[in-house]
Amino acid sequence: MRIYLPGTWPMLRKLVKSGKFDPIGGTAFALTPRLREAYVSGDDEELEYAAMTEAARASLRLLAVELGLGEAVAARRVVVAADLDDVTLRPDLDDGAVRITGPVPVSAIAAVHVDHEEAEHAVREAAGVVDKADLGDLDAEFLVGEAEDHELAWYSPEEIAFLVDLGDL
């Protein structure tokens, strides 16, 4: 099953060093039956994009914690796409939420999706209000929408180390 794991820049750095991506709490997103039911129409590609979008919003939540701790991190959403068989559905969370156990080896990673530098201001603003947006604050939802208007760039697994090196300059 293709899954989408929310991440942050420090998590990518750790992936490069260890060869494994360690998702927070084992949470990921995928095209689940419940996600499929939540949409009136859409083919698999569109629904996979919806799952990736949920992971990107979860990345904002992770980034909010890092920024709140005063860490100097790149304000960019990170989503790691991987193919795993051992996935458990999480009906207690979002429609596309799933749980995995343990870290994801780099060999299972299909791609990494990361914001461009131009998105950093919007992403930083959105990370600061994502919880309010989740609770229905329209101004906060607008700021999150501004970040979500930026498309994530696609990188192959072979490019991850180069991406991290380039981003750490």
Side-chain angles (χ1 to χ4, degrees), residues 66-114:
E66 290 177 352
L67 292 171
L69 294 174
E71 294 184 28
V73 297
R76 298 185 190 186
R77 296 170 296 160
V78 173
V79 175
V80 175
D83 296 313
L84 293 178
D85 294 326
D86 189 19
V87 176
T88 305
L89 298 178
R90 291 287 312 266
D92 57 320
L93 294 177
D94 294 335
D95 292 335
V98 296
R99 179 177 304 277
I100 64 167
T101 56
V104 177
V106 73
S107 61
I109 295 174
V112 173
H113 305 270
V114 179

Side-chain angles (χ1 to χ4, degrees), residues 3-69:
I3 62 168
Y4 300 92
L5 300 142
T8 62
W9 204 257
M11 293 170 77
L12 276 185
R13 266 193 236 115
K14 188 176 175 183
L15 165 64
V16 170
K17 288 179 183 174
S18 70
K20 299 175 188 169
F21 185 82
D22 198 11
I24 304 293
T27 300
F29 298 86
L31 174 49
T32 64
R34 189 168 161 196
L35 181 66
R36 188 177 301 280
E37 290 172 8
Y39 285 84
V40 176
S41 66
D43 61 18
D44 283 356
E45 186 175 328
E46 291 169 316
L47 297 175
E48 290 276 348
Y49 186 80
M52 186 177 79
T53 300
E54 287 189 30
R57 187 170 279 216
S59 175
L60 279 177
R61 293 182 192 103
L62 296 175
L63 187 57
V65 171
E66 290 177 352
L67 292 171
L69 294 174

